[in-house]
Amino acid sequence: MPRIGFWTIVLIFTWLLLFALLFIPVGSVLVSSLYDNAGNFTLGNYIKAIGDERIQRAFFNTLLVGFGGLAGALILGSIMAFCVSRFEITGGRFVSLLAIMALVSPPFIGAYSWIVLFGSAGIARTALKSIGINIPTIYGLSGILIVFSLKFYPYVYLMVSGALSNVNRSLEEAAEGLGLTPFQRAMKISFPLVLPALSAGGLLALIHAIADFGTPRLIGRGFNVLATEAFTLYSAEIGSNMSMATTISVILVLMSMVFVLMQRYMSRRNVYHGNMINKPHKIRLRGWKNVLAHFAVYAIGLAGAIPVIVAVIYSFRKTSGPVFQSGFALQSYERIVFGLGDVITNSLTFSVASVVLIVLIGTLIGCLVARRTTLNTSLLDGALMVPYVMPGIVIGIAFIAAFNTGPVVLTGTAAIIILSIFIRRLPYTVRTTSSALRQIGPNMEEAAISLGYSPFRAFLKVTVPLIVPGIIAGAMLSFVTAINELSSSLVLYVGRTMTMPVRIYLLILDGDFGTAAALSTILLLLSGTAVYIAFRFLGRNEQALL
Amino acid sequence: MAYLTVANATKRFGETFTALKDVSISVERGEFFTLLGPSGCGKTTLLRSIAGFNQLTSGSILIEGRDLGSVPPHKRDIGMVFQDYAVFPHLTVFDNVAFGLKARKVAKDEIARRVPQALDAVRLGALADRLPAAMSGGQQQRIGLARAMVINPQLLLMDEPLSNLDAKLRVELREEIRDIQKQIGIAAIYVTHDQEEALAISDRICVMSNGHIEQLGTPQQIYGNPQTLFVASFVGTINALQPGPALDGLLTTLGLAELAAAHANSKWVVRPENLVIAKVAAASGEPQATISGRIAKYTYLGREAHLQIRTDLGDLVVHVANPDRTSVQLEGDVTVAVARSAVLGFDADGKRIGG
C-alpha cells in the first residue's frame, strides 16, 4: 500500500530532523561540558561550577526568581481569575485583553518600561520624590520579581479562570445544602477542583521565569541568574569560556526539565470532567465589595499592561539623539524607517519562514502521531517533549556549538535563526494538530468513505477543513513566539541577521529608549495582529495562548 | 438467493479476542433487518464488516451474488448512519446531503432536485442553508439519514442511530425511519441494543451475544417464542421460577413434569404479563395451574401496574394492564393463575425445551 510508504518516509524524516536539530546539537552541549579546553574528558567543569561561588549564587538566584515569580503570578493570577469568573466585572473582556497584552509582549519591554518609571531617574520615582516620598529604585531582585509577577500572572489567570468556569454549580450548591459556609465551600470544593489548573499555571510561570534572560539582564544590575551567566561566559570578548557556558546550560536544562515534568504531571491530573449541565453563574456584588473587586482586577490588569502603554507613549515622544524632549513627534519612527528597516524585514522573514516550516512539517508529524499509533510514534511523541525543556539561550548555544564547524556550517546565516525557532516551536504544532485530529475521530472520515470518497479524498475533504482553523490559529501563536524570540537569537545573530528583539535589547543597553520604544510598538502591533487573527479562527480561546 | 448474504463470518482482533464466530445471515430486498444484542456482542463488528471498515478474518459477504471481499469501502455503495451522527460541521445541511452525490459526479441540476427531496423526506426542507452545529441531535441524525439515502445505496446500514436521543424523540424518529425505508424499498440493517426499538421497527431480528447468533426470526417469534434463555431474558422481562417442590408441583399440574425430568437442571420462566391475578385464567382449554402468594409491593405506572408477589416459587412480578379500569388488589393474599403455554423451559445450556 502506497500510504504506508508515505508515512514511513515521514517517520524517518522526522527522526532525522530531530537528530540533526535537537539531539546532536544538544548532545554536543552535554558532551562539550564534559571536556576541558584541551579536549580531555573531565568532570572538572561541573566540579568547578559547583565550587564557583558566582555560579552557586546564580543557581540559587535562578530558583529565587523562579519561585518568586511563581508566587507573584499565583497571587495576582488567582485573584483576577476568581473575580472575573465569579463576579460581574464591568469591562471583563477588556481586562482579559490587558492580560493577553501582558502575555504577548516580550519580557524585556516590561523590564525597560519599569526602568523608565522607577529607575534611578524614573519619572514616577522623580515625581514621588518631588512630593517627598522616597522609594528605592527598581533594580535588583525586587524589580525582577515585580516584572515577573506582572508578566507571568496571565498564565495562572487563563488556566484558573478556565477551570473555575468549569466547576459545576451543583457541586457548590450541594456543599451549601450540606451546611458549609461560603468560605468553607471555596476551600473545600472550588479550591481542590482548580488546584490542578492552579499548579499547572504556576509551574508555567516558573518555567518561563527561570528561562528568561532579558529581564534579569536589564533590571538585575549584577543580580545574576543561570541564563545571564551562560550568556556572559559565552559572549565575553576575551576569554570566552564555551565549556563553562555549556556546563551552565546543562544545569539550566536539568532544572527546567524537573519543572516541566511536574507541570505535565499536574495538567494530566486535571481530570475532573464533570457534566456541564449546571454552569456557574456570576454574582453581581454590591457596595464596597464591588468596588474592591473592580479595583483588584483593574489594578492587576493595568499594572501588567503598563510596559506596553509606556512603550507606546514613549515611542511618540520627541527626542534629541537618545535624550527625550517635551512634546510629541514621529522622530523615533523616522529613525526606524530610515535606519532599521532591515531589522523589521529580518524579523518578519525569519518568523514567517519558521512558521511556514512549522505548519508544514508540524501538521504532517501531528497526523503521524495521531493516526498511526505504534511504539515508534509514541517514542517520537516523547522525543518532541525535549524542546519544551530547552531554554532559548541553551538552544542558541547548542546551535553555535554544533554548526560552527563540522560538515554543516550555519553560523551567521539566517537559516540558523529560523531553524532554532522552528525546532523550539515545532512540538506545540504537533500537539495541537494531533489532539485536534484525535477529537474529530474516525467516524467523520468513515461517513465520507461510505458516501464514496477514497480514504485520501475523505481526509482532504472532511478532516483537513476541520483542522485548518486550528492550524492557522496555532501558526499565528507560533508567529508571536517567533517574532518575540530574544534569547536564542541573541546568541545566534550577526550584523546581517539582527532581529527586532535583539535590536531593542541593544538599543536599551545603549540608552536609546525612544527608538527602542518605537520598535517595541511595532513588535507589539505585529503580535497583536497575529493574536487577533488566531482568535478569529479559534473563537477567542484565550487558553490557546499558553 | 437472498439479496445480501453473509456466510460464515469470523472476525478476530489480535490473537485472543474473537468478535464474530462463524456468523451467517441473509437479508432480502426491501427487508428491515435488525442486529440486537448487548454491547460487545459483535453486532457493530458485523455491521462494520459489511460496510468494509473491518476486514473479516474469514467468511464472505455477497450482495446479489457479488463478493465484496476485495471491494474497498468507498466503492461498496452502502449508505451508513452513525451513532454520533458524523454530520460534517463545516458544511451546510444541503452540502452535507449533497456530499455523496458529488462523489458520484451527479449533475448539478440533478443534485439541486434530489437533495431537497431527501430533506423533505426527513422534514428538514426548511433548514437546507443552515450549518448543523447548532442543531439538535434529532435534526442532526435526520441529516445523517438523508445523506445516506440520497445516494440510493444498495444497502442502508444504521449503527445505533437513535441511542443518543431522548426517549420521546427516539420513538418518533424510529417510526419515520421505518416509514421512509418502506417507501423507498431499500434493504436496511439496523444495529441496536434496545429490544423495544428492535421489536417496533424490524421485519426480522437477529439476536446476538458473544459473537454468535442466539436466534433469528420475526419480532413475534423472538418475543413470543424465544429459543434460548438469553433471548427470553434480553428481549422483554421474565420471572425465573425457583426450583424446588413448588416448581415440581406446578410442572406436574401443567403436564410438563416429563419434559422437565428429561433435562437435568432445566430452568423455567414465565413472562409477567402472562400471569393473571385470579383463580382461573381465561378459558382456553389448555392446562392451568394456580400459585398462591402475598403481595409484597405495588408499583403504579399509569397504563399498567406491577405487583410483586411473594410465593413458594420465589418473588413473581405480575403486570396488570390498565389498573384504573380493573379492580386491583393492593395488598394481602392473592392467587395467580398461569397457563401451560406461558411457562417456558430451558435446558442446562439455555436451549429451549418443548417449544
Side-chain angles (χ1 to χ4, degrees):
Chain A
M1 280 212 244
R3 264 189 95 195
I4 286 179
F6 174 70
W7 288 112
T8 313
I9 292 167
V10 173
L11 188 65
I12 294 169
F13 170 74
T14 309
W15 280 113
L16 286 178
L17 202 69
L18 281 176
F19 269 96
L21 295 182
L22 199 64
F23 298 142
I24 293 175
V26 173
S28 63
V29 165
L30 183 71
V31 170
S32 73
S33 71
L34 290 170
Y35 288 89
D36 60 18
N37 286 345
N40 300 313
F41 178 82
T42 173
L43 285 173
N45 285 319
Y46 286 92
I47 295 164
K48 216 166 102 195
I50 291 165
D52 188 332
E53 240 176 76
R54 201 180 149 76
I55 294 171
Q56 279 173 6
R57 193 148 28 85
F59 183 83
F60 289 114
N61 283 347
T62 306
L63 287 177
L64 201 59
V65 296
F67 282 97
L70 166 93
L74 274 183
I75 294 166
L76 299 182
S78 42
I79 290 175
M80 191 153 164
F82 187 76
C83 290
V84 168
S85 61
R86 283 302 148 87
F87 307 135
E88 294 243 6
I89 299 288
T90 316
R93 295 192 68 168
F94 172 69
V95 173
S96 283
L97 196 70
L98 290 178
I100 291 165
M101 241 154 78
L103 194 64
V104 299
S105 65
F108 53 92
I109 293 187
Y112 144 69
S113 298
W114 287 104
I115 292 171
V116 167
L117 291 174
F118 294 103
S120 346
I123 44 167
R125 195 165 163 268
T126 322
L128 286 171
K129 208 178 215 164
S130 66
I131 56 169
I133 303 172
N134 261 319
I135 54 165
T137 59
I138 191 129
Y139 299 110
L141 174 63
S142 56
I144 296 176
L145 291 186
I146 290 170
V147 172
F148 277 177
S149 305
L150 288 170
K151 163 76 187 162
F152 296 132
Y153 85 87
Y155 290 115
V156 179
Y157 162 65
L158 292 178
M159 280 263 185
V160 174
S161 64
L164 268 177
S165 49
N166 275 335
V167 174
N168 194 333
R169 198 173 88 221
S170 303
L171 292 177
E172 292 180 2
E173 283 169 355
E176 199 175 358
L178 293 169
L180 271 68
T181 65
F183 179 73
Q184 284 175 318
R185 226 158 64 213
M187 292 315 289
K188 297 207 163 168
I189 305 292
S190 312
F191 181 69
L193 286 178
V194 299
L195 185 63
L198 205 60
S199 46
L203 281 166
L204 263 181
L206 172 62
I207 293 159
H208 283 268
I210 61 176
D212 191 44
F213 163 80
T215 307
R217 182 76 176 168
L218 289 172
I219 223 170
R221 283 275 170 95
F223 186 88
N224 63 335
V225 294
L226 288 176
T228 55
E229 204 61 28
F231 180 73
T232 317
L233 285 169
Y234 158 80
S235 64
E237 307 233 335
I238 305 158
S240 165
N241 191 342
M242 194 65 176
S243 57
M244 202 44 127
T246 56
T247 306
I248 292 173
S249 300
V250 172
I251 296 172
L252 190 54
V253 168
L254 291 177
M255 192 193 274
S256 143
M257 197 176 336
V258 170
F259 296 127
V260 168
L261 290 178
M262 275 167 70
Q263 199 264 341
R264 281 181 62 81
Y265 176 71
M266 288 296 180
S267 11
R268 223 173 265 166
R269 280 185 53 206
N270 196 349
V271 287
Y272 304 111
H273 299 300
N275 62 59
M276 285 314 299
I277 296 166
N278 211 345
K279 285 217 170 218
H281 65 157
K282 297 182 180 179
I283 307 168
R284 173 160 276 298
L285 291 176
R286 307 209 170 275
W288 63 271
K289 283 184 179 170
N290 193 25
V291 174
L292 189 68
H294 276 80
F295 175 77
V297 166
Y298 276 89
I300 296 169
L302 286 172
I306 271 185
V308 175
I309 299 165
V310 167
V312 173
I313 294 172
Y314 270 59
S315 71
F316 291 107
R317 281 190 63 178
K318 197 186 261 181
T319 57
S320 155
V323 185
F324 286 113
Q325 310 287 322
S326 58
F328 291 92
L330 289 174
Q331 288 163 310
S332 302
Y333 288 97
E334 278 162 21
R335 267 204 298 284
I336 291 170
V337 171
F338 293 115
L340 295 170
D342 58 325
V343 176
I344 299 175
T345 325
N346 275 348
S347 264
L348 282 175
T349 338
F350 298 167
S351 305
V352 169
S354 46
V355 167
V356 166
L357 277 178
I358 289 166
V359 167
L360 289 180
I361 296 171
T363 307
L364 215 53
I365 301 176
C367 293
L368 180 76
V369 171
R371 287 292 158 87
R372 330 226 123 216
T373 313
T374 62
L375 174 68
N376 211 335
T377 51
S378 43
L379 258 179
L380 185 68
D381 204 30
L384 281 164
M385 271 294 297
V386 176
Y388 278 94
V389 304
M390 290 289 153
I393 196 99
V394 176
I395 292 274
I397 291 175
F399 267 44
I400 286 287
F403 300 117
N404 206 13
T405 55
V408 189
V409 178
L410 291 175
T411 316
T413 62
I416 197 167
I417 294 180
I418 292 169
L419 288 175
S420 73
I421 296 168
F422 164 76
I423 197 69
R424 282 184 68 198
R425 190 66 203 186
L426 183 67
Y428 293 83
T429 304
V430 171
R431 260 161 213 268
T432 45
T433 311
S434 60
S435 71
L437 279 172
R438 284 190 185 118
Q439 264 176 17
I440 290 172
N443 259 5
M444 211 74 86
E445 269 181 51
E446 282 179 357
I449 290 170
S450 79
L451 291 169
Y453 290 82
S454 66
F456 182 67
R457 282 184 68 211
F459 179 76
L460 279 188
K461 281 266 188 184
V462 174
T463 309
V464 169
L466 289 177
I467 59 175
V468 154
I471 291 173
I472 294 178
M476 286 302 133
L477 299 179
S478 296
F479 177 81
V480 173
T481 339
I483 204 162
N484 283 313
E485 171 57 42
L486 171 70
S487 38
S488 65
S489 325
L490 197 57
V491 178
L492 295 172
Y493 88 95
V494 293
R496 276 181 301 117
T497 61
M498 189 180 290
T499 61
M500 287 163 76
V502 173
R503 187 75 243 182
I504 295 168
Y505 169 78
L506 296 175
L507 284 169
I508 293 172
L509 285 191
D510 291 348
D512 188 354
F513 288 168
T515 318
L519 210 50
S520 301
T521 307
I522 295 171
L523 191 56
L524 281 165
L525 213 59
L526 290 170
S527 305
T529 313
V531 171
Y532 175 75
I533 296 173
F535 280 1
R536 286 295 298 233
F537 279 99
L538 275 183
R540 211 183 148 83
N541 177 3
E542 284 146 10
Q543 292 226 352
L545 290 171
L546 302 179
Chain B
M1 172 121 210
Y3 181 62
L4 167 82
T5 314
V6 177
N8 311 102
T10 296
K11 173 69 185 174
R12 269 189 290 276
F13 289 106
E15 292 292 305
T16 48
F17 180 65
T18 308
L20 286 177
K21 295 170 196 153
D22 202 25
V23 169
S24 298
I25 58 168
S26 58
V27 178
E28 299 300 329
R29 201 181 288 272
E31 188 179 17
F32 202 112
F33 188 91
T34 297
L35 301 171
L36 174 66
S39 58
C41 73
K43 55 191 194 302
T44 297
T45 307
L46 179 55
L47 191 82
R48 290 175 57 82
S49 302
I50 297 170
F53 296 129
N54 287 341
Q55 286 287 325
L56 286 178
T57 311
S58 67
S60 60
I61 298 169
L62 295 92
I63 290 186
E64 292 190 300
R66 188 169 74 107
D67 193 342
L68 293 183
S70 56
V71 181
H74 64 280
K75 297 210 170 116
R76 291 195 179 191
D77 195 23
I78 287 174
M80 186 141 175
V81 179
F82 294 82
Q83 181 176 1
D84 59 0
Y85 323 132
V87 167
F88 308 126
H90 60 299
L91 300 178
T92 61
V93 173
F94 185 97
D95 287 335
N96 259 286
V97 177
F99 199 77
L101 294 175
K102 284 178 183 156
R104 285 168 173 69
K105 305 262 180 329
V106 175
K108 266 225 171 73
D109 51 335
E110 203 186 331
I111 292 180
R113 191 173 52 78
R114 276 166 71 178
V115 172
Q117 266 176 12
L119 284 174
D120 285 338
V122 296
R123 301 194 290 152
L124 283 179
L127 302 175
D129 298 327
R130 293 258 294 272
L131 281 173
M135 293 189 172
S136 71
Q139 287 172 323
Q140 295 208 24
Q141 196 54 290
R142 285 197 168 95
I143 302 172
L145 197 60
R147 183 179 69 183
M149 285 184 319
V150 76
I151 58 173
N152 292 332
Q154 303 188 61
L155 193 63
L156 183 61
L157 304 181
M158 289 174 268
D159 186 6
E160 308 211 16
L162 305 180
S163 62
N164 285 349
L165 304 177
D166 64 59
K168 206 164 177 184
L169 195 61
R170 213 149 55 208
V171 173
E172 202 181 297
L173 199 52
R174 86 181 177 212
E175 297 299 327
E176 281 180 40
I177 290 178
R178 171 74 177 166
D179 292 347
I180 294 168
Q181 182 266 339
K182 281 293 160 229
Q183 229 171 55
I184 57 175
I186 193 175
I189 300 181
Y190 189 94
V191 163
T192 184
H193 62 261
D194 181 336
Q195 40 102 10
E196 190 193 311
E197 195 172 289
L199 293 174
I201 206 170
S202 318
D203 291 321
R204 276 196 303 153
I205 297 172
C206 171
V207 184
M208 297 180 70
S209 87
N210 283 327
H212 69 269
I213 296 176
E214 288 277 340
Q215 186 176 350
L216 210 160
T218 63
Q220 290 78 5
Q221 287 167 345
I222 298 287
Y223 188 83
N225 195 12
Q227 291 305 302
T228 67
L229 186 56
F230 176 84
V231 174
S233 57
F234 188 76
V235 184
T237 52
I238 51 169
N239 286 305
L241 304 177
Q242 247 174 39
L247 178 61
D248 295 342
L250 181 81
L251 293 175
T252 309
T253 315
L254 294 175
L256 293 165
E258 266 176 51
L259 201 57
H263 298 274
N265 293 326
S266 57
K267 296 182 185 75
W268 297 85
V269 304
V270 57
R271 293 212 186 274
E273 68 272 23
N274 292 340
L275 292 171
V276 186
I277 303 279
K279 289 248 183 314
V280 270
S284 62
E286 60 173 320
Q288 300 189 359
T290 54
I291 307 160
S292 51
R294 192 176 178 79
I295 296 174
K297 199 162 109 188
Y298 174 79
T299 312
Y300 175 75
L301 296 167
R303 68 174 176 190
E304 61 181 23
H306 294 175
L307 286 168
Q308 194 181 333
I309 298 167
R310 194 144 292 160
T311 72
D312 294 341
L313 293 155
D315 277 8
L316 300 182
V317 176
V318 179
H319 290 182
V320 179
N322 206 354
D324 295 330
R325 297 278 170 170
T326 46
S327 53
V328 194
Q329 205 180 328
L330 301 185
E331 52 188 6
D333 295 327
V334 284
T335 307
V336 179
V338 55
R340 172 180 169 158
S341 62
V343 179
L344 309 172
F346 299 93
D347 67 13
D349 296 329
K351 290 262 184 305
R352 179 76 178 276
I353 48 179

